[in-house]
Amino acid sequence: MRRARFAGILVAAAVAAAVLGGGRAASAGPRAGAATVAQPALAAYEWRGLGQLTRPSTRQRLRFLHGQGFTTVYVDLGEYLDAADRPKTPERQALLRRLAGNLGYFVAEASRLGLTVHAVGAGPTWTDPDLRYLGPKLVRLVGQYNATAPAAQRLKGVQLDIEPYADPEWLRGGETAFVEYLDTLHGIVRAYRQLRFQHANRHLQVGFAIPFWFDAEGDAPGSAPPTGRPPAPPEQARGTRRALARLNSDRARLAKAETATARAEPVKSFV
């Protein structure tokens, strides 16, 4: 399955908001002279696909999130990407227009309430050579959508939830697996840098979901696993460090090359 699903996360986030928000609702404001504690920024995933987002349910859910103190919503673009990845037919074009319309309404309603919306997508198989194109394609799809959308309907960022380590076999791949992962990220970042030259995408953000153990410390696989877990091969931790070192050494060279070529490469339209 190409796209990530986040079933139940919105509900869990809402429960957390209710707990965190209870203290605020219990009192009209801080007592005179009392120290104030900064409230954490709250974000939630909208796990339903764009095709399931009706206008009444969109308004209801966004109003609830706003009322509970949320500031950011991540909307799953997997269905949109799947449609864009199909052969170009009248049916595919009509589907893309319908999904883009649902997305535009969702973002517009969120913006009206002061919520920012980021796209989210990806899956654990996106580092495979045959699927590695999907990350850059998702980023370009967001850029193309923003380029034609009114300012109030533009997405503020793209979040890539590529987690190949969800497959235990991936962790046994050593340095090769990590290099493939970083090559995937390189392709996504290249696509993102090209978009930043467009007016509608000059403030677009990109982010990646990464595990806490990428620094190969603590209970990272191959380093110091918790009691009861069998130790992973030590080459995994070495592979992490070598792959990250390669990323750092390549970063400056890639930045120069991409800056020189980005303006000459137009962003492809999927609609």
Side-chain angles (χ1 to χ4, degrees):
M1 190 174 197
R2 288 179 177 174
R3 63 192 179 105
R5 292 185 180 273
F6 301 95
I9 296 180
L10 181 60
V11 175
V15 172
V19 174
L20 293 171
R24 296 199 302 271
S27 64
R31 297 188 305 273
T36 59
V37 178
Q39 296 295 334
L42 297 177
Y45 286 108
E46 173 53 78
W47 54 268
R48 296 185 306 168
L50 292 176
Q52 299 175 292
L53 294 177
T54 65
R55 294 195 171 191
S57 65
T58 290
R59 289 193 297 269
Q60 180 182 22
R61 294 160 81 88
L62 290 175
R63 286 170 184 169
F64 172 79
L65 292 176
H66 172 69
Q68 295 298 327
F70 283 85
T71 58
T72 304
V73 183
Y74 293 89
V75 62
D76 183 4
L77 290 199
E79 189 177 3
Y80 199 17
L81 178 61
D82 286 347
D85 204 34
R86 298 177 187 176
K88 196 169 186 177
T89 64
E91 293 75 17
R92 177 254 203 184
Q93 301 302 97
L95 176 59
L96 282 173
R97 286 192 294 269
R98 180 171 67 85
L99 295 177
N102 289 358
L103 177 60
Y105 182 81
F106 186 93
V107 179
E109 282 295 300
S111 298
R112 187 175 61 82
L113 294 169
L115 299 167
T116 59
V117 182
H118 292 238
V120 66
T125 60
W126 279 25
T127 61
D128 294 351
D130 292 341
L131 298 178
R132 201 171 294 167
Y133 73 96
L134 289 170
K137 187 166 188 173
L138 176 63
V139 173
R140 289 192 294 267
L141 186 62
V142 169
Q144 190 271 336
Y145 164 82
N146 276 355
T148 59
Q153 297 182 17
R154 290 173 189 161
L155 293 161
K156 302 301 183 184
V158 191
Q159 176 76 16
L160 283 299
D161 190 34
I162 304 172
E163 300 185 70
Y165 37 84
D167 180 0
E169 291 299 320
W170 185 85
L171 288 173
R172 299 186 180 96
E175 181 178 358
T176 299
F178 283 103
V179 169
E180 289 177 349
Y181 173 77
L182 293 175
D183 283 342
T184 302
L185 301 194
H186 278 157
I188 293 169
V189 171
R190 280 195 295 268
Y192 167 71
R193 285 175 173 164
Q194 292 169 12
L195 292 178
R196 293 295 301 278
F197 291 104
Q198 297 181 349
H199 177 79
N201 293 300
R202 66 190 186 282
H203 299 305
L204 187 70
Q205 301 174 358
V206 66
F208 299 92
I210 61 173
F212 68 92
W213 46 261
F214 259 18
D215 58 2
E217 296 179 359
D219 57 353
S223 176
T227 304
R229 288 176 55 186
E235 60 267 17
Q236 291 176 10
R238 292 195 297 270
T240 305
R241 288 190 289 269
R242 285 195 295 263
L244 291 176
R246 169 187 162 176
L247 177 63
N248 288 331
S249 65
D250 286 351
R251 185 163 52 187
R253 177 178 56 82
L254 285 172
K256 291 180 181 179
E258 289 157 8
T259 300
T261 59
R263 295 182 183 275
E265 298 182 10
V267 176
K268 296 180 180 179
S269 171
F270 296 102
V271 178

